[in-house]
Each structure stands twice: as structure tokens, then as C-alpha cells.
Amino acid sequence: MAENENPIRFGIIGCAEIARKVSRAINLSPNATLIAIASRSIPKVKRFAIKNKVSENVKLYGSYEELLDDPSVDAVYMPLPTSLHVKWAVMATEKGKHLLLEKPTALDVKMFDEMFEACERNRVQFMDASMWYHHPRTVKMKELISNSEIFGRVKAIHSSSSYQGTAHFLENDIRVKPDLDSLGALGDTGWYCIGTILWTMNQKLPTTVTALPGTVWNSARVILSCSASLYWDEEETVATFYCSFISHETMDLAVCGTNGTLHVEDFIIPYDENSAAFSFTSGAKFVDMHIGWNVKPQQVQVDTPLPQEALMIQEFSRLVKGIKEGRSQPDSKWAQTSRVTQLVLDAVKNSIDNGYKAIQMHFQFLSGCSIQTTLLKTSPSFKV
Amino acid sequence: MAENENPIRFGIIGCAEIARKVSRAINLSPNATLIAIASRSIPKVKRFAIKNKVSENVKLYGSYEELLDDPSVDAVYMPLPTSLHVKWAVMATEKGKHLLLEKPTALDVKMFDEMFEACERNRVQFMDASMWYHHPRTVKMKELISNSEIFGRVKAIHSSSSYQGTAHFLENDIRVKPDLDSLGALGDTGWYCIGTILWTMNQKLPTTVTALPGTVWNSARVILSCSASLYWDEEETVATFYCSFISHETMDLAVCGTNGTLHVEDFIIPYDENSAAFSFTSGAKFVDMHIGWNVKPQQVQVDTPLPQEALMIQEFSRLVKGIKEGRSQPDSKWAQTSRVTQLVLDAVKNSIDNGYKAIQMHFQFLSGCSIQTTLLKTSPSFKV
């Protein structure tokens, strides 16, 4: 297969836990290969390599700069704390590296734009590492909820993403540290909730975003748990979500249309790697005398040839390869997906910081840009 | 069985569609019997009797008063439009009839209290006709979420109750008429959402109730769809719900605790009459490298000896029988359940009417009442 010739050569910057999973995914992906890993010191990167049985062919760097200076690296995967993203992401793009960035992409959309503008300037591909978009189940769910006959128009969405952090996590993890990942649960698990809601709405930004009373913070004022509602006035569609570090594991998406409903409870990480399911109902009515339903939910099972994270690497590498071989330009689709997610995340944060006031999302389109860029550069002007 | 001797004799006041279901339930219940039906005219009640093959032994009345004057009627089931509840419910209690009232119980808690005070004064039993409380599945779900080891503390709740009204319904049903059921979808399907959320919280009132942007009204300003959030500050628990007449059928309850989660998608009317299920997960964690879950949800199946509406009639009749035979006093448990539901419903309405402001629920306890009455008579003082 031509796809498999000259695989995209990845470097990983940062030895976070998630790097183990992505390093496996790079190896599983037919058009990608892991060639370098960098940490802040040689002993650290060596420990990681030994622990994860990293192949001896992979170069180990004791600094991020060295990896970025390696001309054989095409693309970097960057699982760094969010507060470090701009520095290293911009530097990576300036060294011509394509950028697969862990979520949350940034602490706010201004930071995001700085990175994305660097990608555009340096003509490199951008993607955030939200894996679930790449599972074939996601494609199948989209197909069903987009079918106006069997699903109708989307009217209500609820999403939940949570896990119960251990005492060690809640004390030490970068995700509860104000200087590293100050968005806490909103940035980590909330990113998925917002992403899946926007995915349901075809990335259309809501009219109004309102955080809901009940945010829980740690002593350093990092969010451990919060909720919000989104509203699209043209569609008369409402969405709510709950995200948390202090609840049992959830990954729920419930979508209610005018003619159908969809439920999935493992949308971020499927229960099993090889196959994932969701439940779907269309045209349900009560039977006579309201003592039952005429149709029951059907389970739709979708197998996947590769784990979703390998599919993500494969898609990213496909885009990078097109650019590298001069066949195509960077595709801004994934950056747009990240950007709307970041914009809504900012609005939720803004609402929380303003006593749960409703945030009206107004967008001014900048003139003199290509359509693609215009879409991306709608500048967020919040009205509290 | 002693229970089956001298069954409680029911009269039905009003020939609404739901009366068909409850009339069947009365016949199925071992300690109840249907002896009279009243409508506003003899032809109307005859049409109902013929259509539903009502036994010839059942007396047919052409006015509600006549049925209430029948001394052989112990209890009435009242599926009248909400705006008529006070008049007929109070009259029924004054005639000594025990009261099974369709939901929403009232247009506001003031109306509710008028009826409940009449019940207390006349020493009759009160219950609203929310059937799902009586299903053994509900008992089983409560058992699981109350288990602090396997479920932990409840942190987040989401409920949805909706159906797609036909064009005829949206034009003609009493539930979309401002003079009959002015609360619309909030009163009808929202009653279930609020009820199930409060059931999860052991009937504890929330600290704050906030309606969410996105209410849809018909031209007569009756709510067709709305959402709200509830928050309990002591527990740091949040709840959201969506109710609608203009969406596909949903009856969702999702509860997330610190150690477990529960999902049910037919909580109001089970898919099947004889058996109902819910899904439950406890102690779920990611497997190594976050490529799956260590445990998957288990389906818990609960059979029921009788349809839930017959179990409701049976429970109501059991309470009535105790009173009738001088063994017990009216039990205010069910009135309390209705009252807290009504209070939250009022708060949601209040929030919608005040531009989605957060409603702080403050309660002043009246002095000089018995504990039971005190619990009921906490007077609602909303702070917008």
C-alpha cells in the first residue's frame, strides 16, 4: 500500500501517562512510525522507554528543543500541561513540525489562536488529540442523527464526562494545578462534553452559554466539577453537560430529536477496543392505553479495524503526508473543531466567573480573509 | 386474603384518556373495585363505558356532584384539567372521599395546599397518580443508589421526559390550553422529571432552581418545552432536566454517584408491562493505558406481579382501608412527595417568568404544627 510507504515520523514531547497510549497507537497506525521521544531529562525519558518497552530505534532526547531540532521528525504529539502549550507548539511549528496537541488545546481562545496562526504561517497540520471523533461508531452515530426522517431535528442534548480521581490524583496531578492546567475538570473532561455537544450540532456555536450553580473548586481554585447549559436560538435546541473529577466514571451522550433518540454511555473510551455500541430509537409511541412502547431501543454495534487512537494517528498522518508530498494544504477542519470547543469552554468559564450569568456569544467576522480563515477567525466577543 | 375482602370502591371523575388505563388498573388491583364513573353528561359517560367495555355493574353519572353524593363511593380518581382540581378535589374531600389526583396536582403550591388542607380536615388519604413510584424496579433502583458502598453519594442527576405531540394534540389537547393546563409540558412531562430528581434526593428540596434559556411556548403562552437545573449546596449535587411536547419519546434518568452510575430510559412507562430493567455500574475504572473499562454496566431486570398502575391503586387502597377500618390515620408521605414536586415546579416557572434567574428556595417553618404538618407546611418563600 502506498499509504504505508514513507510513514510519517513522529516525535513525542513529554512523557505523560497518555503518551504510552499514543505511542502504541503510532505503532499500530500503518502510515506512522515513532522515531523520537523527549522529556526534560535523559533519566526521565529512559525510564519511560524502559517501562514501555520502546523500540531501540527510537531516539531518546533529554530536552524538547533537541527533538524539535531533529530534521527527521515530521510531526509531534504534545501531551504537555496546557499552560506550556503555546511555547512549545509555536516552537514546533516554526521548526516545521506538524502538531498533534493534547486537549484542552489552550487556556483560552487567544492562546489557541496564537498556536493556530503559527500553524497557518508555517503551513503545518493541526489536530487535537480527541480520539473519539475517529471511531467508526462516531461516524455511524452521525449518519443516524443526520437522517431527518428517522431522527428529525435535534432538540435536546445531554452529556456527562467524569471520573473519580484518587486522593493522589486530586493532590498531585497536573490537572488540578493552577499553574499547569488551571481549567481543571472543565478543561479535561468538560472538553469532551462540549466537543460531543458541538459535534451533534455540526460545530455550530450556541447563542447562549450559561454555567449552572454548583461548581466545585479545590483549595487552589481549580475546578473539580461543574455544569453548564447551551442554547441555539434558531434551532430551539438546548444542551446540558456535567463534568467532574469527583464522580464515578461517566461518558454519556443522550441526544433527543423530534423523531428519534440516541444514547451512548462510553463515547470517549469505548468499553472494549474492538467494537462499540450505542442505542437508538426512532418513531417510538405508546401502545394503546399507555402500557408500553411500540418500539424499543435498538443496539447498534460498530466494529473497528484499529483502536480509535490509531485511527486518529492514521488520519492525522494522511493529512500530513499530503502536505509533505506537496499534494495538499493543511486542512483546517480539525482546528475549527478545536476552536469552537475552546470558545464554548471559555464562555462556560466566563459564566462561572461572573456568577453563572448567561453569556451571549456574538461573533464578528473579520474582513479580508479567505472563507476558511474567516470561519476560524470569528473573534469571540462575549456579552455577559 | 383479608386484603381482598371489602375492596375499596372507586369512582372516576372525568372521562379523560388516562381514565381507561386507571379503570383497568382498579380492576386488576385485588383490593379495589370500580363502582362509578362520572362525566359532564350522560351521553359522554355512556360513550366512555361502551368504548371501554365497562362492566354493567358500574354506575354512570352525568355530573361529578352525583358521583360525589354517592355514599357507596370510598375514593375518587380525578383526571380533570389542572385548573379544575381545587374545586372538585375540595368538594370530594368534604364528601369524605379519599383522593387520587392526576398530576400536575395544581397550578401552584397555594392551590395544592388548599386541597391538601381539605384532605387533612376531612381525614382522607391523598395521593397523586404518578405510577412509576410503585413499580418494584423503582424500589430496586432506590436500594442500589442508597447503598453508599456501591453507589457512594449522588453528585449529578439528569432526567428527560418528552413526547412528540401530534398536530391534533398541539392544537386541541387540554395540556396546551391556558385555561385548563397552563403549565403545559412543565406540568405534564416536567412533573416526572422533577419527581424523579427529588426521588433520587430523598425528597429533599434543592437550594437553588434555575430554568435554562430555551423555553418554547405556543401562541397562547403555554410551555411546549423547557429545561432547568437544580442544586443542593450541602450535598454539592446538581441536577438538570428537559421536558417537552415537541420531541421524540424520552423517559430518561441518569444518576451519577461517587462510586456508581445508574441509567434508565423508560422510567415513567416501562417498555413492557411485566418486567422492567435499568443499567448499573459500580467501581468502573479504565484498564491499563485507558483502552477500555474494567467493568461494564450490568442490566438489572425486575419483574412485577401487577402493572405499576395497579400497584399504585393497591397501595392507595391499602391506606384508605386502614383509615376506613379505624386502624390508621391518613398517611401524608404521598402528599409530601407531591408537594415538594409542586414547589420545585413553581420555582422553575418562577425562574422562566423572571428571565431565567436563579431562584433561591428558602423555607420558613411554621410553628405550632405537628411534625408531619410542619414538614408539609414549610411555606415557599422564593427569592429571585
Side-chain angles (χ1 to χ4, degrees):
Chain A
M1 274 173 72
E3 189 196 4
N4 303 356
E5 281 167 25
N6 304 318
I8 297 305
R9 296 161 300 176
F10 274 80
I12 294 179
I13 285 192
C15 291
E17 188 60 18
I18 186 76
R20 298 175 55 217
K21 180 173 178 173
V22 176
S23 117
R24 171 173 174 261
I26 294 168
N27 286 330
L28 286 171
S29 176
N31 58 354
T33 181
L34 180 64
I35 66 158
I37 303 176
S39 190
R40 279 169 297 170
S41 72
I42 285 289
K44 261 192 99 172
V45 73
K46 281 197 172 157
R47 269 202 302 279
F48 180 87
I50 291 163
K51 190 176 167 195
N52 295 292
K53 302 189 179 68
V54 170
S55 150
E56 283 184 8
N57 301 328
V58 174
K59 290 174 265 188
L60 303 179
Y61 290 116
S63 81
Y64 305 156
E65 288 93 335
E66 283 174 88
L67 187 146
L68 294 180
D69 281 328
D70 183 338
S72 61
V73 170
D74 297 312
V76 289
Y77 165 62
M78 200 175 275
L80 297 176
T82 314
S83 62
L84 303 180
H85 281 189
V86 172
K87 175 181 173 181
W88 294 106
V90 170
M91 194 186 294
T93 65
E94 282 165 356
K95 308 271 187 190
K97 311 303 184 200
H98 301 275
L99 185 62
L100 180 63
L101 188 65
E102 249 317 316
K103 51 87 217 165
T105 49
L107 297 174
D108 57 39
V109 78
K110 201 171 152 282
M111 274 179 65
F112 176 85
D113 285 349
E114 220 179 307
M115 291 185 286
F116 182 64
E117 277 157 24
C119 289
E120 282 211 314
R121 207 166 47 238
N122 295 296
R123 297 167 46 88
V124 297
Q125 181 61 40
F126 176 89
M127 184 183 276
D128 86 51
S130 301
M131 301 165 182
W132 68 273
Y133 291 114
H134 304 274
H135 197 290
R137 171 176 65 175
T138 306
V139 179
K140 184 68 186 166
M141 293 196 297
K142 191 74 202 176
E143 188 188 310
L144 279 169
I145 63 176
S146 302
N147 184 320
S148 62
E149 238 174 82
I150 58 178
F151 202 80
R153 282 161 293 119
V154 171
K155 293 275 102 186
I157 310 165
H158 181 70
S159 177
S160 172
S161 169
S162 60
Y163 53 84
Q164 180 60 273
T166 59
H168 184 263
F169 174 98
L170 293 172
E171 198 60 47
N172 302 294
D173 197 86
I174 60 163
R175 283 164 282 192
V176 295
K177 297 290 180 191
D179 53 334
L180 297 174
D181 266 306
S182 60
L183 296 169
L186 175 60
D188 187 33
T189 65
W191 181 269
Y192 292 117
C193 295
I194 295 169
T196 191
I197 290 169
L198 290 167
W199 168 84
T200 305
M201 295 301 287
N202 297 317
Q203 310 304 335
K204 181 170 177 173
L205 281 165
T207 325
T208 313
V209 172
T210 319
L212 307 179
T215 306
V216 180
W217 292 271
N218 69 9
S219 58
R221 201 72 183 171
V222 173
I223 294 170
L224 299 181
S225 170
C226 69
S227 299
S229 73
L230 288 70
Y231 173 57
W232 289 257
D233 61 357
E234 211 176 292
E235 292 79 4
E236 292 185 330
T237 300
V238 294
T240 48
F241 73 82
Y242 169 73
C243 61
S244 179
F245 285 159
I246 51 175
S247 289
H248 187 252
E249 193 114 322
T250 60
M251 301 180 178
D252 292 4
L253 170 64
V255 187
C256 177
T258 46
N259 301 334
T261 26
L262 176 145
H263 289 91
V264 57
E265 280 144 33
D266 61 347
F267 83 90
I268 305 165
I269 297 175
Y271 298 129
D272 292 306
E273 255 202 332
N274 303 330
S275 188
F278 62 94
S279 96
F280 189 82
T281 317
S282 178
K285 305 266 174 215
F286 300 117
V287 296
D288 185 39
M289 283 206 289
H290 293 195
I291 54 173
W293 296 41
N294 63 337
V295 292
K296 282 145 216 168
Q298 53 174 308
Q299 282 287 109
V300 181
Q301 192 79 32
V302 184
D303 295 341
T304 181
L306 283 175
Q308 59 180 4
E309 51 273 18
L311 294 173
M312 171 183 78
I313 296 292
Q314 188 177 24
E315 168 65 3
F316 180 73
S317 299
R318 186 186 67 77
L319 294 169
V320 169
K321 203 163 180 184
I323 302 162
K324 204 179 155 192
E325 293 173 356
R327 285 182 285 107
S328 52
Q329 297 294 317
D331 186 339
S332 68
K333 175 196 160 189
W334 293 106
Q336 292 192 38
T337 300
S338 307
R339 194 176 192 276
V340 288
T341 307
Q342 187 80 52
L343 276 170
V344 171
L345 198 153
D346 285 13
V348 174
K349 183 69 170 40
N350 195 335
S351 178
I352 292 172
D353 292 346
N354 283 282
Y356 305 110
K357 278 193 186 151
I359 306 296
Q360 309 295 336
M361 297 188 81
H362 293 278
F363 290 87
Q364 299 165 323
F365 287 86
L366 300 184
S367 56
C369 304
S370 69
I371 285 182
Q372 202 173 76
T373 316
T374 304
L375 273 170
L376 276 161
K377 291 223 176 130
T378 53
S379 66
S381 86
F382 294 141
K383 193 180 138 202
V384 180
Chain B
M1 273 169 72
E3 191 197 3
N4 302 355
E5 281 167 28
N6 304 318
I8 296 306
R9 295 161 299 177
F10 274 81
I12 294 179
I13 284 193
C15 290
E17 188 60 18
I18 186 79
R20 298 173 57 214
K21 179 172 179 173
V22 175
S23 122
R24 171 175 175 259
I26 293 169
N27 287 329
L28 286 171
S29 177
N31 57 354
T33 182
L34 179 64
I35 66 157
I37 304 176
S39 189
R40 280 168 297 170
S41 73
I42 285 289
K44 262 192 98 172
V45 72
K46 279 196 171 158
R47 270 202 304 279
F48 180 86
I50 291 164
K51 191 177 166 194
N52 295 292
K53 301 191 182 70
V54 169
S55 151
E56 284 183 7
N57 302 326
V58 174
K59 288 174 267 188
L60 304 179
Y61 290 116
S63 81
Y64 304 157
E65 288 94 335
E66 284 174 87
L67 187 146
L68 294 180
D69 281 329
D70 183 339
S72 62
V73 170
D74 296 314
V76 290
Y77 165 62
M78 200 174 277
L80 297 177
T82 313
S83 61
L84 304 179
H85 280 189
V86 172
K87 176 182 172 181
W88 294 106
V90 170
M91 196 187 293
T93 64
E94 282 166 357
K95 308 273 187 189
K97 310 303 185 201
H98 302 274
L99 186 62
L100 180 63
L101 188 65
E102 250 315 318
K103 50 90 220 163
T105 49
L107 297 175
D108 58 38
V109 79
K110 203 171 151 284
M111 275 179 64
F112 176 85
D113 284 349
E114 219 178 305
M115 292 185 286
F116 182 64
E117 276 157 23
C119 288
E120 283 210 315
R121 208 165 47 238
N122 296 295
R123 297 167 47 89
V124 298
Q125 180 62 40
F126 176 91
M127 184 185 275
D128 86 51
S130 301
M131 300 163 182
W132 67 272
Y133 291 114
H134 304 273
H135 198 291
R137 172 177 64 175
T138 306
V139 179
K140 184 69 185 167
M141 292 195 299
K142 190 74 202 176
E143 188 189 309
L144 280 168
I145 64 177
S146 303
N147 184 320
S148 62
E149 235 173 83
I150 58 180
F151 202 80
R153 283 162 291 118
V154 171
K155 293 275 104 186
I157 310 165
H158 181 71
S159 176
S160 172
S161 169
S162 59
Y163 54 84
Q164 180 59 273
T166 58
H168 184 264
F169 174 97
L170 292 173
E171 197 59 47
N172 302 294
D173 197 87
I174 60 164
R175 282 165 282 192
V176 295
K177 297 293 180 190
D179 54 334
L180 298 174
D181 265 308
S182 61
L183 296 169
L186 175 60
D188 186 34
T189 64
W191 182 268
Y192 292 117
C193 295
I194 295 169
T196 192
I197 289 168
L198 289 168
W199 167 85
T200 306
M201 294 302 287
N202 298 316
Q203 310 305 336
K204 181 170 178 175
L205 281 164
T207 325
T208 313
V209 172
T210 319
L212 307 178
T215 306
V216 179
W217 292 271
N218 69 9
S219 57
R221 202 70 183 173
V222 173
I223 294 170
L224 299 180
S225 171
C226 69
S227 299
S229 74
L230 288 70
Y231 173 58
W232 289 257
D233 61 358
E234 210 177 294
E235 292 79 4
E236 292 185 329
T237 300
V238 293
T240 48
F241 74 82
Y242 169 73
C243 62
S244 178
F245 286 159
I246 51 174
S247 288
H248 187 253
E249 194 115 322
T250 60
M251 301 179 179
D252 291 4
L253 170 64
V255 187
C256 177
T258 45
N259 300 335
T261 27
L262 176 145
H263 289 90
V264 56
E265 280 144 32
D266 61 348
F267 83 92
I268 304 165
I269 298 177
Y271 298 129
D272 293 307
E273 256 202 330
N274 304 330
S275 188
F278 63 94
S279 96
F280 188 83
T281 317
S282 179
K285 304 268 173 213
F286 300 117
V287 296
D288 185 40
M289 280 209 289
H290 293 195
I291 55 173
W293 295 42
N294 63 337
V295 292
K296 282 145 214 167
Q298 52 174 309
Q299 282 287 109
V300 181
Q301 192 80 33
V302 184
D303 295 340
T304 181
L306 283 175
Q308 60 181 3
E309 50 274 16
L311 293 173
M312 171 183 76
I313 296 292
Q314 189 177 27
E315 168 66 2
F316 180 72
S317 300
R318 186 185 67 77
L319 295 169
V320 169
K321 204 164 180 184
I323 302 163
K324 205 179 153 190
E325 294 174 355
R327 285 183 284 108
S328 52
Q329 297 294 317
D331 186 338
S332 68
K333 174 194 160 191
W334 293 106
Q336 293 190 38
T337 301
S338 307
R339 194 176 192 275
V340 289
T341 307
Q342 187 79 52
L343 276 170
V344 171
L345 198 153
D346 286 12
V348 174
K349 184 70 170 38
N350 194 336
S351 177
I352 292 173
D353 292 345
N354 283 283
Y356 306 111
K357 279 192 184 150
I359 307 295
Q360 308 296 336
M361 296 187 84
H362 293 280
F363 290 86
Q364 299 165 324
F365 287 86
L366 301 183
S367 56
C369 304
S370 70
I371 287 183
Q372 202 174 74
T373 316
T374 305
L375 274 170
L376 277 160
K377 292 221 177 132
T378 53
S379 65
S381 87
F382 293 143
K383 194 181 138 202
V384 180

